Amino acid sequence: MREGDLTWLIGGPQGGGINVSAETFAKYAARTGLRVFANIEYHSNIMGEHSYYRVRASREQRHSVLDQVNVVVALDEETLIGRKHAHFTSHRGHVAEVESGGAVVFDTATKFNPETHERKDVVWVGLSMMDLLREALREFGREGDANRLRVMTNTVALGASVFVIGGDIGGLAEIYTEEFTGRRAQIGEMNARAAAIGYEAAQQALGGRAPYDLKSMTVGASLGAKRPMMLKGYASCGMAKLKAGLHIQTYYPISPATDESVFLESLQRDQNVLVVQCEDEISSIQMAIGAANAGARAATSTSGPGFALMVEGIGYASITEVSGPVIFLWQRGGPSTGLPTREEQGDLLFALHPAQGDFPHIVVAPGDDQEIYEDSFEVFNWVDRYHMPAVVLLDKYLQSSYKTVDELTLDNPVIDRGPRFNPADLQNGHGDGNGHRGGYEDGYLAFAMTESGVTPRAIPGQEGGIFWATSDEHNPRGHITEDATNRIEMMDKRMGKLELAAREIPSARKIGVYGPADADLTIVGWGSVKGSVLDAMDVLAKEGVKVNFVQIRLMRPFPVQEVTDALAGAKRLVLVECNYSGQLGGLVREMTGIHIPQYVVKYDGRPFSEEELVEALRQAISTDDARIHVSHLSA
Amino acid sequence: MREGDLTWLIGGPQGGGINVSAETFAKYAARTGLRVFANIEYHSNIMGEHSYYRVRASREQRHSVLDQVNVVVALDEETLIGRKHAHFTSHRGHVAEVESGGAVVFDTATKFNPETHERKDVVWVGLSMMDLLREALREFGREGDANRLRVMTNTVALGASVFVIGGDIGGLAEIYTEEFTGRRAQIGEMNARAAAIGYEAAQQALGGRAPYDLKSMTVGASLGAKRPMMLKGYASCGMAKLKAGLHIQTYYPISPATDESVFLESLQRDQNVLVVQCEDEISSIQMAIGAANAGARAATSTSGPGFALMVEGIGYASITEVSGPVIFLWQRGGPSTGLPTREEQGDLLFALHPAQGDFPHIVVAPGDDQEIYEDSFEVFNWVDRYHMPAVVLLDKYLQSSYKTVDELTLDNPVIDRGPRFNPADLQNGHGDGNGHRGGYEDGYLAFAMTESGVTPRAIPGQEGGIFWATSDEHNPRGHITEDATNRIEMMDKRMGKLELAAREIPSARKIGVYGPADADLTIVGWGSVKGSVLDAMDVLAKEGVKVNFVQIRLMRPFPVQEVTDALAGAKRLVLVECNYSGQLGGLVREMTGIHIPQYVVKYDGRPFSEEELVEALRQAISTDDARIHVSHLSA
Amino acid sequence: MAVTERPLTLNDYKEDEHNTWCPQCGDFAILNCIQRALAQLQIPPHMVAMYSGIGCSGKLPHYVNAFGFHTLHGRVMPNATGAKLANRNLTVMAVGGDGDGFGIGCGYFINAGRRNVDMTYIVFNNGVYGLTKGQGAPTLQRGMKTKSMPEPAIQDNLNPIALAIGSGYTFAARAYSLDIKAATDIISQAIEHKGTSFIDMVQTCPTYNDLMTKTWLEEKVEDRPRLYQLAGEGYDGVVHDPSNVHEVIAKKAQAVERSYEWGDRIPLGVFYQARLRTYEEELEERLPEYATTPLVEWETGERSVDALMDTFR
Amino acid sequence: MAVTERPLTLNDYKEDEHNTWCPQCGDFAILNCIQRALAQLQIPPHMVAMYSGIGCSGKLPHYVNAFGFHTLHGRVMPNATGAKLANRNLTVMAVGGDGDGFGIGCGYFINAGRRNVDMTYIVFNNGVYGLTKGQGAPTLQRGMKTKSMPEPAIQDNLNPIALAIGSGYTFAARAYSLDIKAATDIISQAIEHKGTSFIDMVQTCPTYNDLMTKTWLEEKVEDRPRLYQLAGEGYDGVVHDPSNVHEVIAKKAQAVERSYEWGDRIPLGVFYQARLRTYEEELEERLPEYATTPLVEWETGERSVDALMDTFR
Ligand SMILES: Cc1ncc(C[n+]2csc(CCOP(=O)(O)OP(=O)(O)O)c2C)c(N)n1
Ligand SMILES: Cc1ncc(C[n+]2csc(CCOP(=O)(O)OP(=O)(O)O)c2C)c(N)n1
Ligand code: SF4
Ligand code: SF4
Ligand SMILES: [Mg+2]
Ligand SMILES: [Mg+2]
């Protein structure tokens, strides 16, 4: 086992409750003062397919998962031995991933016989989960409900896990009793009891000797004044939107974006925010544009297939200089319907060139929860300042990874609605920004030329603010014209705003630089690979390999100078991306001329584990391989 | 006047018949043995807005228009003096464009008084068109129909034009009498007479002295065995599709794509081709995919806003490895609805990254009618060979420019339907290409691994050929799987086909190189700028400036090696594109690392005229300006 | 600017923008009717948001003095819906062509019916795709061939009124634009109706549609005018007790049956109307502030998420 | 492979692919009915092209031994149409969810009705978006809240049968999937119908929809079964003389009226059927070869365009 670093994995059929169990376990670990990083892998299926959830608990905060696990909890046979019927499977079950000396908790009801398994170096903890659950329920006189409550066998397994890792069962019991109160208090107590019985059964099965010693790991760990939050990226995103004063979110259900909208929906009443489920993504974006027209802070949230239907809307919002909307694009495995519940960073180039013609829009790609929080907040200020739509690029890994976070903070939590039309200004003759009037003598002109390129914007209902907007090329008043001079001025106005944004957006939001300046290897990456890269850098640093990381966060307007400067002195450059083609690599070359000679790519629908990336980086350092392809050979 | 090079322009309200008049004039010029290149500028409007059509007739074939004209025919006042009411107009009418000594034919009914015009150096030919028409009709006893037939005043003006350029009126009369036969013969005769009367009236007005001498221009010009064709790009495209064995074309009306579909529609009965007008572009592409699934050669045709709705279909066709469809993207001014009837090459980057994820598709961009013919033919072989969709990038300029073309030829007019499943093969055990069977023991596998990456394809109705196709990731049989190993193999299979295509497509189809090897300036460009570039090169060559041109034609798979080699020795590189951002410039840098330091761009919705480009290139040579922005200051 | 005290007149709704419709286009009359209806109802121009799709019809907002949004082809309804949801105080109107609304925009036409947001949708039924040169629109009957078409239509037309009712519109009417008074009246009623109102606006396109001409529409067949007012024949489309499901169904069925009459006789007027809860009224239950303040004016910028964050601890 | 001589049985239509529906899902019954109908009609598997959208329902073709195309969300109809136009000899079937068909795919559902291509479309009406975890689908009535929903629906449901009729479908029926015999029968009739046939297939989703359950559907209300066969009550939806416009309209009106019955009584069976010219039959007039040879077999590769080119000279 890595010093102060323990990974527990639970596997079972979808709909079988592994999510709740894993998140309970994660909370448990977090409350011992450890830091947690956890992630689920699951199928695009409602019930029955194999899913599994890893929870990594460590003294220091980690940002990626490990392939090697210490404890496996198997709720189905597939977790133990892989899938039998599937064509073409590479999935051999998760026992193969257990470190030597690690433990496997399983249900003896599966009829699995550990003796038949090739692993002789792991500790097998076979428990008759249903019998143990009955035992627990009996104490409440509810033995007869055992079948209905069978999902509580997971709790038994959790209790057993706590023994295996050398933890204190009281902490687990506490989580249950805290969670279920009032009329539901008995459920909490029954769970607490089931956990205790599982704990005892494991203790007995292992003759009182736990393979791991959580207590020694947590020596000196403290929780601080407040417990950390346990967050997934969708919640960090949703909270940022609320903080940013979001009025309306439209959506159409799609993995892995739905959770964010459902989160906001669940807060509708408390937070006074309107969430509208539309008939499709075309409607979602158009409705968001309509709301933005009317002055609302408007967002929509989707994944690749939905984004493909929104592209006309982006061009439309851009040519009509709408303040928004902001599109949250939660990437998943592509192309097409692809791998709906799996990880990929495959939509970067699409998000950058999403419609016909040249037009401005903002694309930003945060790399972790804090950045999601910052960018999802700030992007609303940007669209209000620059009058253009924006895309926030996220992905399944950011959405679903579950981790301890102490705080989400903003250095400047100010809401700026940008240049807005004020009827009083009109009387002073500059309601339109005092720019080129294009032949109109009076009245407000929503597309008048201004120095900055941004024209103060009116909203319907404002007296004196009447304007027209059209998806056709238009004059300062917003009426259609095909005049050549006007066309050029309007193109320059619109595209110029992108340069304005590039000048005004602070460097810290554009790129991030991590690690020593004099590194032997410089990693270039974006988005959710950030976590895996930071972890891998730590491992390599311990081996004495100096690595640093240039994270590109603002994709449009592209921070040409910042990236050029950051990469200028690099001794050796390597790209790390979770897609087939290394899309960022092409972009960097297009924008800066810098060619990254080595690409580490992964495109099997799973994020980089720490070990995979460490190994790939070692290969990058020790060879000249241009394409280092990492593949995940688990489920 | 340039030696052997005469430009005639007709302007008038839309719906007023200028198209027919201009094309009649173009035919007339072509039949004298001259070469013709002509183009129209018009509004997104049905009736009334100003449009104009230039016809350039020259001894050698030209491929672009000139700004400077020799003769203007004004059917409305706007042609004479520009637009009065319009806000923001830069349009001063076309008289400003007439060379000194040139002529303006106008209708005295407009009440325009030439004396008030600043141009004193042009010949004014004011005719009372309606009176002249009446005179002509009188001879047929149809004077009373004059109002109904008022569009024939254009013919009077044409006749006058023939005198002005020093032509022979008989040639014009012949066109009319050839065109109208049978029951409609009288119309031809009336037109012929109206033309003659216009001719005589101009002769009289100019005292018998024509400002130009067509006859001297045509000395030595001969028509060859056959008259040249008078073509617009849509027809060259449509004929290529017919030649390629197209079964079905789906479409939804949109400028400037509609003409191509209407052309095919008009040939339905003769050529036995099915043309379906759909409810929108989503339906158009999906229906084309369905037809391609069933084994048809299927195409759809659209412009930017429609393409934006097709993108999900491209990803779907790609992941399911359909043989097609081919999408003909006739670009127009963007973004969004933009400038529906104007020129722009603004969709290159969108067409290259049109959907989520990494997936293969072909993008090819022909630059003139011959290339349109070649590429529109060959692309059907490519989609059948590589089992992926393709985009043919065209534009408004290619669509509407009207020119003499002697022949459209194919070096290898062979239809190749690519690897198709043959039930007999199945019995020999290799119906699936004899590749990796992914755990299936028998039967045809439509996505089996093969050496080339292409799996022979069955079509519904073929016994033994049953397969499944899904937009989700799938196994060799086409069933959904999220297995990691399979995923990697399938991604490699699909993306590998793009490399196969890159290897097999001949270099001549990838890039074109024109001009001397030892040029001082190398132009990089694509698509419809080809014509303007070739003409500008000729002009510069005459001035002793050595320029060559690297035309990039195959955009995906990008011809990295060919482009690198072609640009390797260049002394000075300049990009010429008809868009704001110089999209190809970014692509070249991304793909080859070559930075083109100077961009000549035009984005006012009009194509490059020869003079504009010549001037811009002179500026490129004589300065280090990174951005040379050409703008059209006519209507 | 001071609040205008004088009554608003037709002129207050005019924007002096160069018009690019064909000289005899029926759209002029529709424009006129819309402006008259707004004046009739005395709705201040700055409180009107006029949305349109793409087509000849789509140009209409440019000629109206009101906030004008000329959106994308087929996308007028979700855009207008977004604006109305964001600001209930606005009078939101959507206009567009029959291609725009029933072809490319059909899914949005239908699904807007389900929502019943308080706004008005007027579809210009001219039988053709005007701006793209006269192809047959989804309203054109099978077998018909306008002068702009090379071949007759081989698809059935769809029935706008029947579809509107089948998808939940709570007001479905037909008007003939060249009968300015009656058409203005229907538009006023539609605006006043609470919920989504739909008008099948019969429009002549002299340039391309030589079948559905003014003459044809206005002529008599067997001594009876082709166009007739439903109300004049004792037809009552209004649901008097919306809580009575049987009445609702009976009125819908009656309307659908009558909607198939198109030929020698063409009915005009209100086919169906019911006062059902609007989407906004439904939202009030979830979001009480929605009842009192337009969404855009909510002080959402004042939110604190600290307590919310603590729920994750 | 030799042509099969023995009669085709249910097994001939089964593909042995790992099934990922929930154990009690109503989709199993639909799958069974479709396979039975194909066997009933003895259509060779390789002559069947089964198209689907995205959703739980969309997975169906993977379990059928026939050419299977699992397309995109909402795009099943144009895909299926393309295949049928390319090869008329195929039996083309489209299946999909109620979200797929009436939400995102609504415009294609409607516009397919106008075309009347000879194929069958079965929409699985389970009231929810199954695969995305039980949000309300467009078929869910206002005020209803399934266990998967946080709040009740605030939009009206749309009426599939009424919309199908309003948009021109020439066969519109409803079946209850758990009544295997009757549902199989309706599917067979739909396949045999010449023109586009539409089936509103009532499907239980025990995982998310706890309102429209087997129990609820099959229970009696006031002693009468909730589900009943239209035919059993003397209802006749068939147009006997399609050239008689009056009969066509009367039958449509009757069907629409009946389609609003959904509650204590839910009618099953054929609401409306008329034999009108199909799109393919219309095409035969333009393209005589279409009558005899499937489009994909036309020797289009033999075309010469030389004469065509000469027309430009
Ligand atoms: C996505 C898209 N496809 C096609 C077009 C081209 N287009 C412009 S207007 C129009 C049809 C207009 O017909 P209709 O909606 O009936 O309006 P009308 O002109 O008759 O008023 C079309 C197809 C477009 N603008 N956008
Ligand atoms: C463009 C797009 N948007 C969203 C999704 C996500 N999605 C998958 S299935 C589905 C809805 C399924 O509901 P329904 O059509 O009723 O089918 P069911 O699962 O109920 O059979 C959605 C929204 C998608 N695949 N594509
Ligand atoms: S084409 Fe028809 S609809 Fe369009 S402006 Fe002209 S008359 Fe009106
Ligand atoms: S979620 Fe519902 S529709 Fe989907 S498989 Fe499960 S039971 Fe069937
Ligand atoms: Mg129309
Ligand atoms: Mg459903």
Side-chain angles (χ1 to χ4, degrees), chain D residues 55-57 96-100 123-131 135 137-139 203 205:
Chain D
C56 298
S57 44
D98 41 8
D100 194 76
V123 178
F124 300 7
N125 181 338
N126 61 4
V128 291
Y129 286 141
L131 193 56
Q135 298 86 356
T139 46
Q203 176 227 327
C205 167

Side-chain angles (χ1 to χ4, degrees), chain C residues 174 179 182-183 186 227-235 266-270:
Chain C
R174 181 181 293 129
D179 180 347
I186 290 279
L227 294 169
Y228 73 96
Q229 293 292 337
L230 282 168
E233 309 218 338
Y235 179 98
I266 299 178
L268 301 174
V270 179

Side-chain angles (χ1 to χ4, degrees), chain D residues 200-214:
Chain D
D200 179 19
M201 180 64 76
V202 178
Q203 176 227 327
T204 54
C205 167
T207 303
Y208 294 123
N209 192 334
D210 53 341
L211 305 173
M212 198 178 64
T213 59
K214 181 171 188 311

Side-chain angles (χ1 to χ4, degrees), chain A residues 45-203:
Chain A
N45 153 267
I46 298 302
M47 218 179 257
E49 295 298 285
H50 177 66
S51 67
Y52 65 96
Y53 208 137
R54 286 164 201 272
V55 182
R56 181 177 185 183
S58 48
R59 262 207 296 270
E60 275 165 67
Q61 181 70 51
R62 292 292 142 207
H63 319 87
S64 62
V65 290
L66 286 172
D67 282 330
Q68 197 182 60
V69 302
N70 304 102
V71 181
V72 161
V73 175
L75 301 183
D76 64 2
E77 228 186 327
E78 188 164 344
T79 307
L80 293 163
I81 54 169
R83 187 151 163 197
K84 279 181 299 196
H85 328 283
H87 298 288
F88 227 97
T89 188
S90 51
H91 169 35
R92 297 164 300 144
H94 299 283
V95 173
E97 297 156 17
V98 179
E99 72 163 350
S100 190
V104 180
V105 179
F106 68 100
D107 193 337
T108 50
T110 55
K111 304 246 152 64
F112 169 73
N113 180 357
E115 317 245 305
T116 62
H117 200 280
E118 54 177 23
R119 291 297 298 269
K120 305 299 173 200
D121 58 341
V122 300
V123 179
W124 298 97
V125 189
L127 302 176
S128 176
M129 304 284 181
M130 203 60 192
D131 289 334
L132 295 170
L133 173 59
R134 277 203 199 88
E135 194 182 321
L137 295 178
R138 194 175 308 135
E139 299 175 18
F140 298 84
R142 297 189 59 179
E143 200 183 343
D145 292 340
N147 258 328
R148 218 171 43 74
L149 300 174
R150 71 174 312 128
V151 71
M152 278 173 62
T153 53
N154 297 7
T155 308
V156 176
L158 240 58
S161 301
V162 170
F163 176 77
V164 170
I165 64 171
D168 171 9
I169 190 68
L172 186 58
E174 198 182 288
I175 292 177
Y176 289 118
T177 47
E178 244 179 49
E179 182 139 336
F180 297 96
T181 53
R183 286 192 309 121
R184 298 168 71 228
Q186 201 193 37
I187 304 178
E189 284 159 32
M190 290 191 300
N191 271 290
R193 194 62 200 117
I197 284 177
Y199 182 94
E200 288 153 21
Q203 187 169 34

